[in-house]
Amino acid sequence: MRYIEEYRTVQDFLDRLCKQVRAKPMHAEIREELLSHIEERAELLMLEGNAEEPAVLEAVRQMGEPEEIGRSLHMAHRPQLDWKLLVIVGLFSVIGLFGTMSVYYSDVIRFMQIPNKKMLLFGIGIFLLIVLYFTDYRKLRRFAGIVFFSVLFLLGYVLVYGKLHGYNTGYLGIGFIGVNMITVSLLPLLIAQAGMRPAFEWGRWEMVLNLLYRGVLPIVLYSMSNSVMYPLIYMAGFLVLTWRTKKSRRQFVLITTLPLAILTVSLFTHMELLLFRWRDMINPLSGYNWHVGNSISAIKNAGWFGQGFGAESPKLPYILNDSVFPYLVYCFGWIFGIAVVVLTILFLIRIWKVSKTHRDLYARHMAAMIMVVFGIRLLWPLLMGIGIAPLVSLDPPFISYGGTNQLIDLAVVGLILSIYRRKNMIPSDLGGIEAVRVK
């Protein structure tokens, strides 16, 4: 029997069909799947006594109109927009804009540049979101190693030479703008890690090198910044990615033991501060622990509908960042607080679905890293505001003032949308045309 694809009729059928499918990466998989259908049907017809060529021609005819099948497949493999995620992020952003304006009109921080800068950065962030949405995320993988090294280098640079207004800080000065590399570096580092060689491909010496370079060094640098949360968040992301790409449990233990030990030593150097924060959480009404006490008091006094837009702050520090959630609940009430919690859960569920169901492993690993960072940054301030989590310096994405973090956060949302956009356009070993019904 001749190869089924050698028949001109079969080739014409597949060519006409594939012209209707704009997702060109899917063409090879579609052709292979349909060829198997035609071959199976032709073999059945030959068993019924038909000659080979008439059987093939009849099998093609029975498949149906190629344009109709092609349009059906195009609908199955067309670009998708995750409207649910976009609406959630839009609501978060509106909350953040209203929150900034409420702080401004509360006369606590009466600086004109605060709302103006928030709007400017929001506009730039939306532009980055759109650009990354239309960018094929798979093209970013080739730059993963360069991005990881560059961000790590800049992080080390600012820890040694970074200055802002004459003081040593973790800020990178770019003209008149100061970029906090400690906070901005977290998402790029973990997303870049998702595109580098996975752990199951590492040899013995490569494992040692990656252990030091991708595990230990970032933990050391974040620890040098005197931050407690950022080395913890990075370690959480490193553990999740290593577990997802491990060769075996033994390899996972070997890779993660040293970074965990370094992190533990770092936390012990901040033991006095950690114990103070712990006492602050378990005894918020103490006179020394006014921050958590005032936060809980603000939420208790909010009522169902709050004190209104622009309400005077109930003595909350860092009201644009760390304390933005209790302040917004104080202004807009418990119903608003419940809505923010629900939005947070829905947002994380959307990203979790991408990390579990996408065909591309690279996309799943990136989504997992994004979920770890956004999950901690969203949930911890909420728990901190009601006194369940210890007090740390960690601004929630979207609803806080954000600064340059706002640009990174919205850009990463664009990356998630880009991943979702191509979820039905990625070839897989399972095929992709199960929905096509052969007549």
Side-chain angles (χ1 to χ4, degrees):
M1 181 177 178
R2 291 168 58 187
Y3 288 111
I4 198 75
E5 60 267 29
E6 293 179 0
Y7 285 92
R8 184 64 187 174
T9 303
V10 175
Q11 293 177 13
D12 289 343
F13 175 84
L14 295 175
D15 290 342
R16 289 167 61 189
L17 186 150
C18 286
K19 281 183 181 180
Q20 306 299 318
V21 183
R22 295 181 184 178
K24 292 183 179 180
M26 296 300 302
H27 284 187
E29 184 173 306
I30 289 172
R31 296 177 77 96
E32 181 180 354
E33 181 73 15
L34 286 169
L35 278 171
S36 68
H37 283 303
I38 295 171
E39 186 172 5
E40 289 172 3
R41 189 162 290 272
E43 288 176 353
L44 289 174
L45 291 169
M46 289 169 63
L47 288 174
E48 294 174 0
N50 294 283
E52 180 180 317
E53 186 169 351
V56 171
L57 296 177
E58 178 62 17
V60 171
R61 188 192 67 80
Q62 291 182 10
M63 291 291 293
E65 288 296 322
E67 286 80 11
E68 183 180 345
I69 299 173
R71 286 190 291 269
S72 175
L73 287 171
H74 170 68
M75 294 300 292
H77 297 292
R78 72 187 189 280
Q80 301 284 324
L81 176 59
D82 191 347
W83 287 103
K84 294 179 182 178
L85 180 64
L86 197 60
V87 168
I88 291 170
V89 173
L91 291 173
F92 269 134
S93 299
V94 169
I95 290 170
L97 292 172
F98 268 94
T100 301
M101 294 302 296
S102 184
V103 171
Y104 175 71
Y105 283 106
S106 70
D107 287 328
V108 176
I109 304 178
R110 197 66 154 166
F111 298 116
M112 195 62 190
Q113 68 268 26
I114 293 295
N116 289 349
K117 190 176 179 182
K118 174 74 173 178
M119 290 293 295
L120 174 63
L121 291 174
F122 176 72
I124 298 173
I126 291 297
F127 172 76
L128 294 175
L129 183 152
I130 294 171
V131 168
L132 280 171
Y133 168 66
F134 286 107
T135 301
D136 188 344
Y137 71 90
R138 292 169 295 178
K139 295 180 179 178
L140 303 178
R141 188 170 191 173
R142 70 185 71 172
F143 305 108
I146 297 173
V147 170
F148 188 84
F149 173 81
S150 301
V151 173
L152 212 58
F153 174 80
L154 290 174
L155 183 59
Y157 175 84
V158 298
L159 288 172
V160 178
Y161 300 107
K163 287 184 179 293
L164 186 67
H165 306 306
Y167 295 96
N168 293 328
T169 66
Y171 279 76
L172 178 67
I174 304 176
F176 60 90
I177 299 174
V179 178
N180 187 341
M181 284 301 300
I182 310 302
T183 60
V184 165
S185 61
L186 193 59
L187 274 166
L189 277 180
L190 288 172
I191 291 173
Q193 276 233 48
M196 299 167 73
R197 278 172 63 87
F200 65 81
E201 294 182 4
W202 297 349
R204 179 179 300 178
W205 291 109
E206 188 179 6
M207 183 176 74
V208 174
L209 177 62
N210 280 291
L211 164 64
L212 297 175
Y213 178 51
R214 294 162 60 175
V216 172
L217 183 56
I219 297 295
V220 170
L221 291 177
Y222 280 122
S223 299
M224 288 172 58
S225 71
N226 291 321
S227 170
V228 174
M229 283 305 298
Y230 282 90
L232 280 171
I233 298 174
Y234 182 86
M235 188 69 226
F238 181 74
L239 287 173
V240 169
L241 185 61
T242 306
W243 178 260
R244 292 170 68 100
T245 62
K246 68 185 184 303
K247 186 184 302 181
S248 64
R249 291 187 179 183
R250 179 175 178 272
Q251 185 202 39
F252 173 77
V253 172
L254 290 174
I255 293 172
T256 57
T257 298
L258 184 58
L260 281 171
I262 298 293
L263 178 62
T264 303
V265 171
S266 171
L267 293 177
F268 268 107
T269 63
H270 297 87
M271 185 56 65
E272 185 176 350
L273 174 63
L274 293 175
L275 289 175
F276 174 79
R277 297 288 171 82
W278 178 258
R279 290 194 298 267
D280 194 5
M281 183 185 72
I282 63 176
N283 190 16
L285 300 181
S286 168
Y288 296 101
N289 303 327
W290 59 275
H291 187 158
V292 176
N294 284 2
S295 176
I296 295 174
S297 177
I299 292 176
K300 284 183 177 180
N301 294 329
W304 284 106
F305 302 103
Q307 303 299 315
F309 179 83
E312 184 177 350
S313 170
K315 299 179 181 179
L316 292 172
Y318 311 111
I319 195 170
L320 283 170
N321 297 299
D322 302 347
S323 299
V324 66
F325 176 70
Y327 174 71
L328 291 177
V329 173
Y330 180 75
C331 288
F332 305 116
W334 298 337
I335 292 178
F336 167 84
I338 294 170
V340 171
V341 172
V342 171
L343 281 177
T344 298
I345 295 171
L346 292 175
F347 176 76
L348 296 177
I349 288 174
R350 297 304 303 170
I351 302 179
W352 178 81
K353 286 184 176 180
V354 173
S355 73
K356 296 295 289 185
T357 61
H358 204 283
R359 289 180 172 186
D360 186 7
L361 280 175
Y362 173 47
R364 296 212 299 263
H365 295 333
M366 278 201 298
M369 295 300 93
I370 293 169
M371 182 180 174
V372 168
V373 177
F374 275 152
I376 296 175
R377 286 180 57 205
L378 280 167
L379 293 174
W380 196 284
L382 300 186
L383 299 175
M384 187 172 68
I386 58 178
I388 295 178
L391 176 66
V392 295
S393 179
L394 191 67
D395 58 323
F398 312 122
I399 65 174
S400 67
Y401 172 65
T404 50
N405 277 355
Q406 186 176 191
L407 303 182
I408 299 293
D409 294 340
L410 289 173
V412 169
V413 170
L415 185 58
I416 285 289
L417 291 174
S418 174
I419 292 171
Y420 188 89
R421 171 183 169 84
R422 292 165 178 81
K423 70 185 183 73
N424 294 327
M425 301 167 63
I426 306 296
S428 73
D429 294 336
L430 300 177
I433 60 171
E434 293 83 355
V436 178
R437 294 182 63 183
V438 182
K439 296 179 180 179

